[in-house]
Amino acid sequence: MALSSESRHGMWSSRWLFVLAAAGSAVGLGNIWKFPYIAGENGGGAFVLVYLGCVALVGLPIMLAEVVIGREGRRSPINTMRVLTQQHHRHPAWVIVGWLGVAAGFLILSYYAVIAGWALFYILRMASGAMTGVTANVANQAFNDFLASPGQMLLWHTLFMMFTVYIIGRGVIKGLETAIRWFMPLLFVLLIVLVGYGVNSSGFERGLEFMFRLKWESVTGETLLIAMGQAFFTLSLGMGAIMAYGAYVPSTASITQSVIVIAVLDTLVAVAAGLAIFPIVFANGLEPAQGPGLMFVTIPFAFGQLPMGAIFGTIFFLLVSFAAITSAISISEPVLAYLVEQYNAKRKRVAISVGVLAWILGVGTVFSFNVWADVHIVGQLTFFDFVDYVSQNIMLPIGGLLIALFAAYGLPKTVIAAQLNARGKAWWIGWRIVVGCIAPLAVLAVFVATVVEFDTLMAWLNLQ
Ligand code: PHE
């Protein structure tokens, strides 16, 4: 039996609402902005395949685990871990999963709001017609000029954080429903329009080849780590966001189907974003590995060439901003729910405090693109690179690893089987093997491969 059948924070009114909300969390900047540029920086094809493998083998089973744990505990991730360990007499140290998630959430939210601020700014930029008919170089220069201005960036960063705080303060569940229902399908339609443009452009074949041709020689331990980090990030895993949303899932809803729908939707959006962006990159001699600015140069340029491009471009960035908001909300939910539970505090107040803290941290990311561009925290990493790298590539996989282990060994088998309604189902054993063994080993192996240089490892394996 679950501890309680309802959460004090409210409940999704149906399974589909959960699917929409979780898809809203998963589909965000990670798919449209991050995936194409990371794939571009890491050699394309082989990266994409490793990433898809991580989504299927590691991401999907861990997502299932997060929802199950969340629904069993019905509280914020920190308190869910606390009550479940108490109830099942497990070591209290498991609560670290919740704390790690809160820390990762702060780091991610801090830079997420900055990049989402860029998208807000581009709504205006596209609407003004400033990008209509410009060359690729001009689009590139316009973006660099924007990055060079900390004042501009701060303004949009602040605005995005204010929107987020406003929505999370009001209570997510009802306010979001209508919006998600309208905006997610629209986002799909627009992506399809853009992919259509890409397919018809002269760079389509090269784009396709870049994304899907295997170049194993470009895969290093680091590539594996980045692909895995991206799989966690894009599915919102490893930090309790999905666990927090899982706490609001009605007891009668089937979790397995929902999770598959969410992961498939998320993957489709990422691949579509790549198919929209890379053909334009190649058709116009742009650089696929140009980094975080990729989407902000290619998309405005492409729309600038289209009839009614200013209108479509405006809608596109509006939707990107909206996809970002639905994700930002879920990044804040674990800490928000925890503070409300712990201090009986008003959601509004908690939302403001969380927003202010994350905003302050975000200023470091704003400066990373201008005044602190030459300040390196470790190696060549700027403040933004560092926060991004540590949260995405280290904290999320470790969080995910612990969540998988807890689902496999921390909770009694019967509890999970009841949650998943899994008695007598063939996939049940498979899932247990994946969560208890394959996914944790894969995460560990990738960490080891990063530390021990991948080439050395391969050479060693060949010798055996
Ligand atoms: N999945 C979101 C995206 O792809 C980001 C996110 C990460 C959301 C972690 C919640 C938790 O943009």
Side-chain angles (χ1 to χ4, degrees):
M1 263 315 272
L3 283 165
S4 35
S5 58
E6 299 247 322
S7 155
R8 63 177 278 188
H9 304 286
M11 299 287 288
W12 306 118
S13 43
S14 72
R15 168 159 85 92
W16 282 108
L17 243 132
F18 164 64
V19 172
L20 273 185
S25 165
V27 173
L29 296 174
N31 311 59
I32 310 170
W33 161 72
K34 205 169 209 179
F35 171 73
Y37 96 73
I38 299 190
E41 282 180 341
N42 291 283
F47 173 87
V48 174
L49 285 180
V50 175
Y51 156 82
L52 291 177
C54 289
V55 167
L57 258 184
V58 185
L60 204 82
I62 291 184
M63 187 183 263
L64 205 62
E66 275 208 35
V67 183
V68 166
I69 296 172
R71 187 162 80 169
E72 183 66 21
R74 292 258 183 246
R75 289 162 175 79
S76 67
I78 294 177
N79 281 329
T80 280
M81 293 306 289
R82 181 168 296 148
V83 291
L84 290 181
T85 47
Q86 280 163 2
Q87 191 195 16
H88 299 292
H89 311 291
R90 301 296 186 218
H91 200 282
W94 280 111
V95 176
I96 207 115
V97 171
W99 287 107
L100 191 72
V102 165
F106 264 113
L107 294 182
I108 295 174
L109 183 62
S110 79
Y111 73 79
Y112 209 84
V114 175
I115 314 294
W118 300 357
L120 282 186
F121 170 68
Y122 265 80
I123 298 175
L124 206 74
R125 186 166 252 183
M126 295 309 292
S128 72
M131 294 282 108
T132 307
V134 297
T135 62
N137 277 339
V138 171
N140 202 5
Q141 192 52 47
F143 181 65
N144 288 337
D145 290 346
F146 172 63
L147 288 191
S149 159
Q152 282 261 17
M153 271 175 74
L154 269 178
L155 171 72
W156 295 98
H157 164 216
T158 311
L159 269 178
F160 183 85
M161 197 58 102
M162 281 165 61
F163 282 140
T164 307
V165 165
Y166 175 74
I167 297 177
I168 57 182
R170 289 191 71 199
V172 184
I173 299 167
K174 282 221 179 90
L176 271 180
E177 179 176 342
T178 346
I180 294 179
R181 235 178 233 168
W182 284 97
F183 280 98
M184 297 305 278
L186 252 172
L187 179 68
F188 276 107
V189 173
L190 265 176
L191 264 180
I192 292 170
V193 172
L194 271 178
V195 172
Y197 181 76
V199 170
N200 288 315
S201 85
S202 60
F204 184 64
E205 255 166 52
R206 282 191 64 198
L208 211 59
E209 187 194 306
F210 180 74
M211 263 181 82
F212 293 111
R213 206 188 65 143
L214 283 172
K215 281 165 285 180
W216 287 116
E217 64 282 4
S218 63
V219 177
T220 62
E222 181 97 40
T223 324
L224 295 180
L225 185 72
I226 294 173
M228 191 178 65
Q230 174 63 13
F232 276 99
F233 184 86
T234 188
L235 293 173
S236 309
L237 297 178
M239 57 145 292
I242 294 295
M243 198 188 285
Y245 274 13
Y248 316 146
V249 177
S251 303
T252 48
S254 150
I255 297 178
T256 8
Q257 284 168 350
S258 317
V259 162
I260 293 175
V261 173
I262 297 161
V264 168
L265 273 180
D266 185 76
T267 308
L268 283 179
V269 174
V271 172
L275 287 180
I277 286 179
F278 288 120
I280 303 171
V281 167
F282 289 112
N284 296 287
L286 295 168
E287 177 52 52
Q290 68 166 276
L294 189 60
M295 175 182 100
F296 293 93
V297 176
T298 53
I299 298 283
F301 164 73
F303 276 122
Q305 309 298 308
L306 286 174
M308 297 209 299
I311 297 175
F312 280 111
T314 309
I315 299 177
F316 177 82
F317 281 104
L318 205 68
L319 292 173
V320 172
S321 307
F322 193 79
I325 284 248
T326 53
S327 301
I329 287 164
S330 72
I331 303 173
S332 334
E333 189 60 23
V335 63
L336 223 74
Y338 173 71
L339 293 173
V340 168
E341 283 163 7
Q342 212 58 16
Y343 303 105
N344 237 333
K346 287 235 161 58
R347 252 187 100 97
K348 255 192 203 118
R349 272 205 207 144
V350 174
I352 294 174
S353 332
V354 170
V356 168
L357 277 178
W359 182 90
I360 294 174
L361 206 59
V363 174
T365 289
V366 169
F367 288 168
S368 302
F369 291 92
N370 34 67
V371 278
W372 290 353
D374 294 325
V375 178
H376 296 132
I377 308 284
V378 249
Q380 283 304 304
L381 302 185
T382 61
F383 182 86
F384 158 67
D385 296 331
F386 180 73
V387 170
D388 181 25
Y389 191 92
V390 170
S391 55
Q392 166 164 332
N393 297 334
I394 298 176
M395 293 169 91
L396 296 188
I398 291 182
L401 170 77
L402 294 175
I403 288 168
L405 292 177
F406 187 69
Y409 308 108
L411 286 176
K413 238 192 334 209
T414 44
V415 168
I416 310 254
Q419 279 284 358
L420 289 175
N421 203 1
R423 211 160 301 148
K425 303 255 171 73
W427 54 264
W428 165 244
I429 308 260
W431 178 74
R432 286 196 61 82
I433 296 175
V434 172
V435 157
C437 191
I438 297 180
L441 279 179
V443 176
L444 275 181
V446 169
F447 275 119
V448 172
T450 320
V451 180
V452 184
E453 218 353 89
F454 193 63
D455 298 342
T456 333
L457 200 72
M458 291 310 269
W460 182 79
L461 283 175
N462 282 338
L463 283 181
Q464 301 303 301

